[in-house]
Amino acid sequence: MTSHAPVPPAPLVDPFGRSVTYLRVSVTDRCDFRCVYCMAEDMTFLPRRDLLSLEELDRLCSAFVDRGARKLRLTGGEPLVRRDIMKLFRSLSRHLASGALKELTLTTNGSQLARHAAELADCGVKRVNVSLDTLDADRFRALTRRGDLRQVLDGVAAAQQAGLAVKLNAVALKGVNEDEVFSLTEFAHGQGMDLTFIEVMPLGEIDGQRLDQYWPLSQVRARLAERLTLEPIDYTTGGPARYVRVKETGGRIGFITPLTHNFCESCNRVRVTCTGVLYMCLGQEDAADLRAPLRASPTDELLHRAIGEAIARKPRGHDFVIDRETRAPAVGRHMSTTGG
Ligand code: SAM
Ligand code: SF4
């Protein structure tokens, strides 16, 4: 006898056998900062009608959860400047309650975190990544072109107060925060936070040259090792960071090295922009539009078909370079478009 029960959509597995279990969604391209490595001073943001509505974002995320996504990260732009964003966290928290989703999290610049920390925790968010490249207020303002360090530090404190585990992300910038690797480590580990260093990636046109900012993490690590004992450990958060434990502090430091070290072989993630464009790889141009199938029908068949077709094209990996011959960005879109 044949059953007429709806067939659950198939889990997403790419052509290289990698399961897609991690979705990062940019909920806005807007931001209250203009970090020098991320945006130009005078960014033109997208017309609001091009953005997915909160309902569309919910449908899209839920479709991925139905297909096996276990971890969902909201990012941007600055996710916490999107109006009513807590409604989205609230509605997505049902997937945590049902057990379908293991983790709901976000990457934030921290400026609005003090206001939202308690509600995020109430929605089931357990961890949050806060970007913080410097602990010097003047330098912070220059680097973000407008940010207030105090506000971010208050946000971090509020998140910890609310019981959220905070990880700090610092982009390693030559000539900018080179002298802060120890103070950032001390600050993070002193408050029980992990710290991850990120290499500058060639994403989107910015004012100035990335070659001037590029500081390979091999050198960051060597600098840290001058004073600290770095013990390699197996710890992973499912992301691309490789971790060490600092013997002196007991805390962890992660290194994300897209340029000097290829981590594509274990890639389990895809990204969706705030306009519903699915990128199967951060470093490749190939993409699939999910907004059209979302808007074409109130049910999700077209959406599921588009997602399935896109994952079948997920490439083996990327090929970033920053060198003197390759001055143009590897991909034209900004990190704030694809979502960090
Ligand atoms: N606004 C939020 C924030 O700053 O955390 C979320 C979005 S931001 C694009 C996510 C992460 O990407 C941040 O940690 C930021 O430092 C990083 N980022 C932005 N542009 C980058 C670039 N060109 N290379 C490496 N990391 C970059
Ligand atoms: Fe905004 Fe984050 Fe980009 Fe800085 S890194 S400009 S905070 S989106």
Side-chain angles (χ1 to χ4, degrees), residues 230-277:
L230 309 180
E231 303 172 330
I233 49 173
D234 266 350
Y235 176 77
T236 168
T237 58
R242 305 279 154 98
Y243 280 90
V244 296
R245 185 175 299 285
V246 178
K247 195 171 169 199
E248 289 77 4
T249 63
R252 286 185 291 244
I253 296 183
F255 300 94
I256 301 185
T257 55
L259 300 168
T260 51
H261 194 248
N262 200 303
F263 49 67
C264 303
E265 67 281 357
S266 59
C267 180
N268 60 352
R269 65 188 54 198
V270 292
R271 294 173 160 82
V272 178
T273 70
C274 54
T275 58
V277 178

Coordinates of all heavy atoms in Angstrom, one line a residue, residues 230-277:
L230 N 51.8 28.1 23.7 CA 50.6 27.7 23.0 C 50.6 26.2 22.8 O 51.4 25.6 22.1 CB 50.6 28.4 21.6 CG 50.9 29.9 21.6 CD1 50.8 30.5 20.2 CD2 49.9 30.6 22.5
E231 N 49.6 25.6 23.3 CA 49.5 24.1 23.2 C 48.4 23.7 22.3 O 47.2 24.1 22.5 CB 49.2 23.5 24.6 CG 50.2 23.9 25.7 CD 49.8 23.5 27.1 OE1 48.6 23.4 27.4 OE2 50.8 23.2 27.9
P232 N 48.7 23.0 21.1 CA 47.7 22.7 20.2 C 46.6 21.7 20.9 O 47.0 20.9 21.7 CB 48.4 21.9 19.1 CG 49.8 22.3 19.3 CD 50.0 22.6 20.7
I233 N 45.4 22.0 20.6 CA 44.3 21.1 21.2 C 43.3 20.8 20.1 O 43.3 21.4 19.0 CB 43.5 21.8 22.3 CG1 43.1 23.3 21.9 CG2 44.3 21.9 23.6 CD1 42.2 23.9 22.9
D234 N 42.5 19.7 20.3 CA 41.6 19.2 19.3 C 40.3 20.0 19.3 O 39.5 19.8 18.4 CB 41.3 17.8 19.7 CG 42.2 16.8 18.9 OD1 42.9 17.3 18.0 OD2 42.2 15.6 19.2
Y235 N 40.1 20.9 20.2 CA 38.8 21.6 20.4 C 38.3 22.2 19.0 O 39.1 22.8 18.3 CB 39.0 22.7 21.4 CG 37.7 23.6 21.6 CD1 36.7 23.1 22.3 CD2 37.7 24.8 21.0 CE1 35.5 23.9 22.5 CE2 36.6 25.6 21.2 CZ 35.5 25.2 21.9 OH 34.4 26.0 22.1
T236 N 37.0 22.0 18.7 CA 36.4 22.6 17.6 C 35.0 23.1 17.9 O 34.3 22.5 18.7 CB 36.4 21.7 16.3 OG1 35.6 22.3 15.3 CG2 36.0 20.3 16.6
T237 N 34.6 24.2 17.2 CA 33.2 24.6 17.4 C 32.4 24.2 16.1 O 31.3 24.7 15.9 CB 33.1 26.1 17.6 OG1 33.7 26.8 16.5 CG2 33.8 26.5 18.9
G238 N 33.0 23.4 15.3 CA 32.4 23.1 14.0 C 32.8 24.1 12.9 O 32.4 23.9 11.8
G239 N 33.5 25.1 13.3 CA 33.9 26.1 12.3 C 35.3 25.9 11.9 O 35.9 24.9 12.2
P240 N 35.9 26.8 11.1 CA 37.2 26.6 10.5 C 38.3 27.0 11.5 O 39.5 26.8 11.1 CB 37.2 27.6 9.3 CG 36.2 28.6 9.7 CD 35.2 28.0 10.6
A241 N 38.1 27.5 12.7 CA 39.2 27.9 13.5 C 40.0 26.7 14.0 O 39.4 25.7 14.4 CB 38.6 28.7 14.7
R242 N 41.3 26.9 14.1 CA 42.2 25.9 14.7 C 42.6 26.5 16.1 O 43.0 27.7 16.1 CB 43.4 25.6 13.9 CG 43.2 25.2 12.5 CD 42.9 23.7 12.4 NE 42.1 23.4 11.2 CZ 42.6 23.0 10.1 NH1 43.8 22.8 9.9 NH2 41.8 22.7 9.0
Y243 N 42.4 25.7 17.1 CA 42.6 26.3 18.5 C 43.9 25.8 19.1 O 44.4 24.7 18.9 CB 41.4 25.9 19.4 CG 40.2 26.7 19.1 CD1 39.2 26.4 18.2 CD2 40.0 27.9 19.8 CE1 38.1 27.2 18.0 CE2 38.9 28.7 19.6 CZ 38.0 28.3 18.7 OH 36.9 29.1 18.5
V244 N 44.4 26.7 20.0 CA 45.5 26.3 20.9 C 45.0 26.7 22.3 O 44.1 27.6 22.5 CB 46.8 27.1 20.6 CG1 47.4 26.7 19.3 CG2 46.6 28.6 20.7
R245 N 45.6 26.1 23.3 CA 45.4 26.5 24.7 C 46.6 27.3 25.2 O 47.7 26.8 24.9 CB 45.1 25.3 25.6 CG 44.7 25.8 27.0 CD 44.3 24.6 27.9 NE 43.2 23.9 27.5 CZ 41.9 24.3 27.6 NH1 41.6 25.5 28.1 NH2 40.9 23.6 27.1
V246 N 46.4 28.4 25.8 CA 47.5 29.1 26.4 C 47.7 28.6 27.8 O 46.9 28.7 28.7 CB 47.1 30.7 26.4 CG1 48.3 31.5 27.0 CG2 46.8 31.2 25.0
K247 N 48.9 28.1 28.0 CA 49.2 27.4 29.2 C 49.1 28.4 30.4 O 48.5 28.1 31.5 CB 50.6 26.9 29.2 CG 50.9 25.9 30.3 CD 52.3 25.2 30.0 CE 52.7 24.4 31.2 NZ 54.1 24.1 31.2
E248 N 49.6 29.6 30.2 CA 49.6 30.6 31.3 C 48.3 31.1 31.7 O 48.1 31.4 32.9 CB 50.5 31.8 30.9 CG 52.0 31.5 30.7 CD 52.4 30.8 29.5 OE1 51.5 30.6 28.6 OE2 53.5 30.5 29.3
T249 N 47.3 31.1 30.8 CA 46.0 31.7 31.1 C 44.9 30.6 31.2 O 43.8 30.8 31.8 CB 45.5 32.6 30.1 OG1 45.3 31.9 28.8 CG2 46.4 33.8 29.9
G250 N 45.2 29.4 30.6 CA 44.2 28.3 30.6 C 43.1 28.6 29.5 O 42.3 27.7 29.3
G251 N 43.2 29.7 28.8 CA 42.2 30.1 27.8 C 42.5 29.6 26.4 O 43.7 29.1 26.2
R252 N 41.6 29.7 25.5 CA 41.8 29.2 24.2 C 42.0 30.4 23.2 O 41.3 31.4 23.3 CB 40.6 28.4 23.7 CG 40.5 27.0 24.3 CD 39.4 26.2 23.7 NE 38.1 26.8 24.1 CZ 37.2 26.1 24.9 NH1 37.4 24.9 25.3 NH2 36.1 26.7 25.2
I253 N 42.8 30.2 22.2 CA 42.9 31.1 21.1 C 42.7 30.3 19.8 O 43.3 29.3 19.6 CB 44.3 31.8 21.0 CG1 44.6 32.6 22.3 CG2 44.5 32.7 19.8 CD1 45.9 33.4 22.3
G254 N 41.9 30.9 18.9 CA 41.6 30.2 17.7 C 42.2 31.1 16.5 O 42.4 32.3 16.7
F255 N 42.5 30.4 15.5 CA 43.1 31.1 14.3 C 42.3 30.7 13.1 O 42.1 29.5 12.8 CB 44.6 30.6 14.1 CG 45.5 30.9 15.2 CD1 45.7 30.0 16.2 CD2 46.1 32.2 15.3 CE1 46.6 30.3 17.3 CE2 46.9 32.5 16.4 CZ 47.1 31.6 17.4
I256 N 41.8 31.7 12.4 CA 41.0 31.4 11.1 C 41.9 31.9 10.0 O 42.1 33.1 9.9 CB 39.6 32.0 11.1 CG1 38.8 31.5 12.3 CG2 38.9 31.7 9.8 CD1 37.4 32.0 12.3
T257 N 42.4 31.0 9.2 CA 43.4 31.4 8.2 C 43.0 31.0 6.8 O 43.5 30.1 6.2 CB 44.7 30.7 8.5 OG1 44.5 29.3 8.6 CG2 45.3 31.1 9.8
P258 N 42.0 31.7 6.2 CA 41.6 31.4 4.9 C 42.6 31.5 3.8 O 42.6 30.9 2.8 CB 40.4 32.3 4.6 CG 40.6 33.5 5.6 CD 41.3 32.9 6.8
L259 N 43.6 32.4 4.1 CA 44.6 32.7 3.0 C 45.8 31.7 3.1 O 46.3 31.3 2.0 CB 45.1 34.1 3.1 CG 43.9 35.1 3.0 CD1 44.4 36.5 3.4 CD2 43.4 35.2 1.6
T260 N 46.3 31.4 4.3 CA 47.5 30.7 4.3 C 47.2 29.2 4.6 O 48.1 28.4 4.6 CB 48.4 31.2 5.5 OG1 47.6 31.3 6.7 CG2 48.9 32.5 5.1
H261 N 46.0 28.8 4.9 CA 45.7 27.5 5.2 C 44.3 27.1 4.6 O 43.3 27.8 4.9 CB 45.7 27.2 6.7 CG 45.7 25.8 7.0 ND1 44.7 25.2 7.7 CD2 46.7 24.9 6.8 CE1 45.0 23.9 7.9 NE2 46.2 23.7 7.4
N262 N 44.2 26.1 3.9 CA 42.9 25.7 3.3 C 42.1 24.8 4.2 O 42.6 23.8 4.6 CB 43.2 25.1 1.9 CG 42.0 25.1 1.0 OD1 40.9 24.7 1.4 ND2 42.2 25.7 -0.1
F263 N 40.9 25.3 4.5 CA 40.1 24.4 5.4 C 38.8 23.9 4.7 O 37.9 23.5 5.3 CB 39.7 25.2 6.7 CG 39.2 26.6 6.4 CD1 37.9 26.7 5.8 CD2 39.9 27.7 6.8 CE1 37.4 28.0 5.6 CE2 39.4 29.0 6.6 CZ 38.1 29.1 6.0
C264 N 38.9 23.9 3.4 CA 37.6 23.6 2.6 C 37.2 22.1 2.7 O 36.0 21.8 2.6 CB 37.8 23.9 1.1 SG 38.3 25.7 0.9
E265 N 38.2 21.3 3.0 CA 37.9 19.8 2.9 C 36.8 19.4 3.9 O 36.0 18.5 3.7 CB 39.1 19.0 3.1 CG 39.8 19.0 4.4 CD 40.7 20.2 4.6 OE1 40.9 21.1 3.7 OE2 41.3 20.4 5.7
S266 N 36.7 20.2 5.0 CA 35.7 19.8 6.0 C 34.5 20.8 6.1 O 33.8 20.9 7.0 CB 36.3 19.8 7.4 OG 36.9 21.0 7.7
C267 N 34.4 21.6 5.0 CA 33.3 22.6 5.0 C 31.9 22.1 5.0 O 31.5 21.3 4.2 CB 33.5 23.5 3.7 SG 32.3 24.8 3.6
N268 N 31.2 22.5 6.0 CA 29.8 22.0 6.2 C 28.8 23.1 6.1 O 27.7 23.0 6.5 CB 29.7 21.4 7.6 CG 30.0 22.4 8.7 OD1 30.5 23.6 8.4 ND2 29.8 22.1 10.0
R269 N 29.2 24.3 5.6 CA 28.4 25.5 5.7 C 28.0 26.1 4.3 O 28.7 25.9 3.3 CB 29.1 26.5 6.5 CG 30.4 27.0 5.8 CD 31.2 27.9 6.7 NE 31.5 27.2 7.9 CZ 31.9 27.9 9.0 NH1 32.0 29.2 9.0 NH2 32.2 27.2 10.1
V270 N 26.9 26.8 4.3 CA 26.6 27.7 3.2 C 26.1 29.0 3.8 O 25.8 29.1 5.0 CB 25.5 27.1 2.3 CG1 26.1 25.9 1.5 CG2 24.3 26.7 3.0
R271 N 26.0 30.0 3.0 CA 25.7 31.4 3.4 C 24.5 31.9 2.6 O 24.5 31.7 1.3 CB 26.8 32.3 3.3 CG 28.0 32.0 4.2 CD 29.2 32.9 3.9 NE 30.1 32.9 5.0 CZ 31.0 32.0 5.2 NH1 31.1 31.0 4.5 NH2 31.8 32.1 6.3
V272 N 23.6 32.6 3.2 CA 22.6 33.3 2.4 C 22.7 34.8 2.7 O 22.8 35.2 3.9 CB 21.2 32.8 2.8 CG1 20.1 33.5 2.1 CG2 21.1 31.3 2.5
T273 N 22.6 35.6 1.7 CA 22.6 37.1 1.9 C 21.3 37.6 2.3 O 20.2 36.9 2.2 CB 23.0 37.8 0.6 OG1 21.9 37.7 -0.3 CG2 24.3 37.2 0.0
C274 N 21.2 38.9 2.7 CA 20.0 39.4 3.1 C 19.0 39.6 2.0 O 17.8 39.9 2.2 CB 20.2 40.8 3.8 SG 21.2 41.9 2.8
T275 N 19.4 39.4 0.7 CA 18.5 39.4 -0.4 C 18.1 38.0 -0.8 O 17.4 37.8 -1.9 CB 19.0 40.2 -1.6 OG1 20.2 39.6 -2.0 CG2 19.3 41.7 -1.2
G276 N 18.5 37.0 -0.1 CA 18.1 35.7 -0.4 C 19.0 35.0 -1.4 O 18.6 34.0 -2.1
V277 N 20.3 35.5 -1.6 CA 21.2 34.8 -2.5 C 22.0 33.8 -1.7 O 22.6 34.1 -0.7 CB 22.1 35.8 -3.2 CG1 23.1 35.1 -4.1 CG2 21.3 36.8 -4.0

